[in-house]
């Protein structure tokens, strides 16, 4: 069954662009141009909304008020629905306030529809995890990429990526140290069973080259595993 997205956005052109893109990616989109209209859709029992994409600037009330009303709703199912806020403002204060009001994520305009799609998938996945009984509830998610430590599985866009044991150990180490610059010795220690130790630097570079071929959209221009010249490698925290 397709996920139901409620889009509360007063800009008709942007709303059409988002709706068409999400529909192409198998989501059902319900659009509201006003905050109160969006709240009314949420209260309609016939529609189970899986996620709300909420614009901060609306004609009848601002997105903060809408978010506050959703979180204050006595309907337990409605007040727990995940929310991604859209805003034209780049002020950190707005971002922090939105998250404090109960938003799950925040994206500033202008943005690529692909980035919004990745965030929607990640937020829905995180929202559903507490209800999962399997080992995948403890995933490490970076945009479209997820690492499941217990089951040794990796997915991109919810599609499985087949890795060797060494590749998974390396990726898991990167994921648990995201944002940090790691030297080759540290990465070597993440793969204690590798016995081809004549040239550690070369061995790590080969492992990373092969891993990039599997998880990067363009291995020649990597966005997930970044080379830090003269030091080592860094796994990007913010990914699309």
């Amino acid at each position: 069954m397709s996920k139901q997205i409620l889009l509360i956005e007063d800009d008709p052109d942007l709303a059409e662009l988002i709706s068409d893109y999400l529909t192409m990616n198998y989501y059902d989109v319900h659009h509201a141009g006003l905050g109160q209209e969006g709240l009314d859709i949420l209260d309609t029992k016939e529609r189970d909304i899986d996620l709300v994409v909420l614009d901060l600037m609306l004609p009848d009330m601002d997105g903060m008020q809408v978010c506050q009303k959703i979180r204050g709703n006595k309907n337990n199912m409605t007040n727990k629905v995940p929310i991604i806020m859209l805003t034209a403002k780049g002020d950190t204060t707005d971002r922090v306030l939105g998250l404090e009001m109960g938003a799950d994520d925040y994206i500033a305009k202008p943005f690529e529809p692909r980035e919004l799609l990745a965030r929607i998938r990640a937020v829905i996945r995180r929202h559903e995890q507490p209800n999962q009984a399997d080992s995948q509830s403890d995933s490490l998610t970076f945009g479209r990429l997820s690492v499941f430590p217990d089951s040794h599985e990796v997915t991109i866009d919810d599609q499985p990526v087949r890795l060797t044991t060494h590749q998974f150990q390396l990726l898991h180490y990167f994921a648990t140290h995201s944002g940090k610059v790691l030297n080759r010795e540290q990465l070597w220690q993440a793969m204690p069973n590798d016995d081809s130790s004549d040239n550690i630097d070369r061995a790590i570079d080969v492992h990373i080259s092969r891993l990039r071929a599997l998880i990067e959209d363009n291995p020649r221009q990597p966005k997930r595993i970044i080379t830090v010249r003269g030091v080592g490698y860094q796994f990007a925290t913010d990914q699309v």
Side-chain angles (χ1 to χ4, degrees), residues 56 63-64 67 71 83 85 92-106:
L56 183 62
M64 299 295 185
C67 184
R71 291 295 179 246
I83 300 171
M85 275 194 171
T92 303
T93 302
D94 291 321
R95 180 178 183 275
V96 172
L97 184 57
L99 296 174
E100 287 179 346
M101 287 289 184
D104 296 85
D105 203 353
Y106 187 103

Side-chain angles (χ1 to χ4, degrees), residues 137-174:
S137 62
D138 294 322
S139 68
L140 300 166
T141 299
F142 303 85
R144 297 176 294 125
L145 175 118
S146 291
V147 180
F148 302 97
D150 291 346
S151 58
H152 279 218
E153 294 177 355
V154 175
T155 63
I156 296 178
D157 289 335
D158 296 322
Q159 299 301 310
V161 179
R162 297 186 181 277
L163 303 181
T164 66
T165 299
H166 287 160
Q167 289 166 351
F168 181 85
Q169 288 174 327
L170 183 58
L171 179 58
H172 181 246
Y173 188 80
F174 269 127

Side-chain angles (χ1 to χ4, degrees), residues 8-10 32-40 42-43 54-70 85-86:
I8 308 177
E9 167 61 62
D10 65 312
L34 298 173
Q36 187 57 55
E37 183 185 357
L39 292 171
D40 292 341
L42 267 179
D43 286 336
L54 173 62
D55 187 23
L56 183 62
M57 305 296 291
L58 296 167
D60 57 335
M61 65 178 79
D62 66 42
M64 299 295 185
Q65 291 175 293
V66 177
C67 184
Q68 196 170 26
K69 287 179 179 291
I70 292 173
M85 275 194 171
L86 306 180

Side-chain angles (χ1 to χ4, degrees), residues 170-208:
L170 183 58
L171 179 58
H172 181 246
Y173 188 80
F174 269 127
T176 55
H177 295 79
S178 64
K180 297 181 179 180
V181 178
L182 304 170
N183 61 44
R184 289 172 176 79
E185 180 63 31
Q186 290 172 299
L187 296 171
W188 181 259
Q189 294 303 319
M191 300 184 297
N193 296 320
D194 196 330
D195 57 1
S196 56
S197 55
D198 291 337
N199 188 328
I200 291 177
D201 288 359
R202 175 60 180 161
I204 287 297
D205 290 344
V206 169
H207 278 300
I208 288 177

